Amino acid sequence: MDNKDLEAEIHPLKNEDRKSQENLENQSKNEDNLKSMPLQSRLSRCRTVAFFLSLFICLFVVFVVLFIIPCPDRPVSQGMWRVDYNAAVTYDFLAMEDVNRDRIQDILFLYKDTNSSNTFNRSCADEGFSSPCAFVAAVSGANGSMLWEKPVAQDVVLVECAVPQLRDSEASSACVLVGSPSPFLAVDVFTGETLWSRPSSFSRNASILSPLLQVPDVDGDGAPDLLILIQEEKEVNGHIYSGSTGHQIGHRGSLGVAGESGSLLHVTRTGAHYVLFPCEGSLCGCSVEGLYETVTGRDGPFKKDPHWENMLNATTHRMHLHSSGVVRYLMSVPGKAGKDVLLVSSEACELLDGQELVPRWTLRTSQVLRKPILGHYRPDALAVVIENGTGMDRQILLLDLSSGAMLWTHTLPSLPGGPPSASLPTADHRSAFFFWGLHEMVSTNEMETGAAQHSLYMFHPTLPRVLLELANVSANVIAFDVVLFEPSRHAAYVLLTGPVSSDVPGLVSVTKHKVQDLVPGSRVVRLGEGSSDSDQAIRDRFTQLRYRSEA
Ligand SMILES: *[C@@H]1O[C@H](CO)[C@@H](O)[C@H](O)[C@H]1NC(C)=O
Ligand SMILES: *[C@@H]1O[C@H](CO)[C@@H](O)[C@H](O)[C@H]1NC(C)=O
Ligand SMILES: *[C@@H]1O[C@H](CO)[C@@H](O)[C@H](O)[C@H]1NC(C)=O
Ligand SMILES: *[C@@H]1O[C@H](CO)[C@@H](O)[C@H](O)[C@H]1NC(C)=O
Ligand SMILES: *[C@@H]1O[C@H](CO)[C@@H](O)[C@H](O)[C@H]1NC(C)=O
Ligand SMILES: *[C@@H]1O[C@H](CO)[C@@H](O)[C@H](O)[C@H]1NC(C)=O
Ligand SMILES: *[C@@H]1O[C@H](CO)[C@@H](O)[C@H](O)[C@H]1NC(C)=O
């Protein structure tokens, strides 16, 4: 505090004295002003003119901006659209990106057909494939118009989008695809142009394990590089490729054990990169540094973690874990410090500490046959959605991620292989959840024939005793997601439906439906007593929901 203030606090009256003195001085000045009136009045008239003139100019500018210069055209977004292919099959893949840079998310998907849609008139033969072949397509999220599509391979076994690329020193994004039998290529997300294409070097018997992993830049070109795990002759091999050219770095590196899809790239709290994957009923792993040394024969830019090296058997690459059971899913989830690992096995769901790999909590349940998803049940606190069981007993459990405490549970029957759940953050720092289930009125007869329709339910934690049935779908759902197309209100679901078998072509459709348009026609499902609001009041609450983008 400076001295003046201090003094003022000690002698508040003195301060007031000074103020009244100032007032007196001001008064005497005003009296002086009154004496020089004639000159002043001429000046004040000038001032008035200047004031009105500038006011007029301001208003004129405002009117020009408001009415004469037109607003830039905002693309009109349709609440619902649908794209059909009559004799095609499709893949479990959907990606969102603003392809045409109109600030509305667009949709990328894959299908297998003889020709592309009529808009682009591309055939498999154009790229040297026999018919039918796999196409990548990008459709506008605003109105479903085709932005680009192109044949990429005979068949696609692995695809990953949002892979950063450096082209002409400009940051770009690519979808990397592994075709069967060949090629291995990257396609520019914004133009559909092929960035690079290489014949793939995998043997015919090899099975490629998903997903495609992105490791930090090892070849020094500024773009992340790619790691693919491939099972060749009952052994998993790691292959590292340059992300910007597709060239293989070194040779294949054997991990000495058979594995399955569902691998995960984990960064420990000490900054070491490890690949984890389900293997022969347990969890295996290896450091990216170790793998890099194996494939190139020299030291790489990565770290190893002494604790993790102790936990890994150097010959079998198996992890020494406290838990047992066949590993089904691995997920990297945000923890208190760095990432933790959520592990779903045939005996339990466990949250493992990302550094020590000891369980933070365990939920004993053997029936989890689907990869969990995350969302917020309480404001800013992550929750995990676990589906326990299939058929008539399927339960949806929402658990607090940090403690494993049960937050909400509901039995919602579903067929095995029904569409997956989704969540979308809302403006109140919670999430809206979307679950699929069989309609209550469905008969066991329909269930047996598999002809039953799936219903899409929406749930928000502020209305825990209510589900909103948004839609009924009888087609076979291949992929589903809920996406925020534009900030705030434009949340919509995207549904990819197609034939059950990839050998029998049929109708393939991509549909977008805005959530807010579905709410007025939805059915309110009450879960027990407790909510006295009318159906309309509940629908209004859902209509008023605002969404935010994942950050
Ligand atoms: C595919 O395109 C070729 C040439 O453009 C045409 O001859 C053929 O009839 C088309 N096939 C289908 C199924 O549309
Ligand atoms: C499509 O391609 C075929 C043969 O390549 C050609 O005859 C036809 O005119 C093309 N159609 C359009 C709309 O470009
Ligand atoms: C669809 O929207 C895009 C912009 O997102 C626009 O360029 C195109 O003309 C629209 N097409 C139709 C058929 O409305
Ligand atoms: C592929 O597997 C079959 C049987 O599993 C075997 O006979 C064949 O030699 C293998 N081919 C290669 C190239 O390894
Ligand atoms: C690694 O596993 C092999 C085979 O199970 C075993 O013989 C060996 O003792 C293990 N090594 C260590 C350090 O535990
Ligand atoms: C999961 O489902 C099985 C049977 O479907 C049941 O026995 C078990 O109690 C459930 N687990 C939890 C945690 O609800
Ligand atoms: C779904 O179908 C059931 C009966 O088949 C019907 O009662 C319900 O209103 C439908 N829901 C919607 C949202 O259309």
Side-chain angles (χ1 to χ4, degrees), residues 247-371:
H247 284 300
Q248 185 160 7
I249 298 169
H251 309 282
R252 68 179 187 194
S254 172
L255 297 178
V257 65
E260 284 140 48
S261 284
S263 56
L264 180 71
L265 186 73
H266 179 74
V267 187
T268 66
R269 250 171 266 153
T270 55
H273 288 75
Y274 279 81
V275 181
L276 297 173
F277 58 96
C279 61
E280 294 170 342
S282 107
L283 182 65
C284 289
C286 80
S287 67
V288 176
E289 173 64 30
L291 187 62
Y292 185 82
E293 283 166 15
T294 319
V295 302
T296 62
R298 55 172 196 268
D299 286 351
F302 303 102
K303 278 193 210 162
K304 282 185 185 175
D305 183 294
H307 178 69
W308 279 59
E309 292 300 313
N310 273 337
M311 307 252 290
L312 279 168
N313 182 317
T315 45
T316 62
H317 294 281
R318 247 172 235 277
M319 280 278 176
H320 305 292
L321 285 184
H322 301 261
S323 56
S324 55
V326 175
V327 175
R328 288 193 185 130
Y329 307 104
L330 286 168
M331 273 173 83
S332 184
V333 297
K336 284 199 182 74
K339 296 274 186 183
D340 288 338
V341 177
L342 185 68
L343 182 139
V344 178
S345 73
S346 57
E347 301 194 348
C349 291
E350 286 187 302
L351 182 72
L352 303 177
D353 180 275
Q355 178 61 34
E356 306 296 326
L357 281 182
V358 292
R360 286 171 181 269
W361 55 259
T362 304
L363 176 78
R364 298 254 155 241
T365 172
S366 55
Q367 297 296 316
V368 181
L369 301 170
R370 163 150 295 143
K371 193 169 178 173

Side-chain angles (χ1 to χ4, degrees), residues 363-368 387-390 393-395 397 399 406 409:
L363 176 78
R364 298 254 155 241
T365 172
S366 55
Q367 297 296 316
V368 181
E387 290 179 34
N388 182 34
T390 52
D393 313 317
R394 182 188 71 156
Q395 276 177 312
L397 315 170
L399 309 183
M406 189 83 74
T409 164

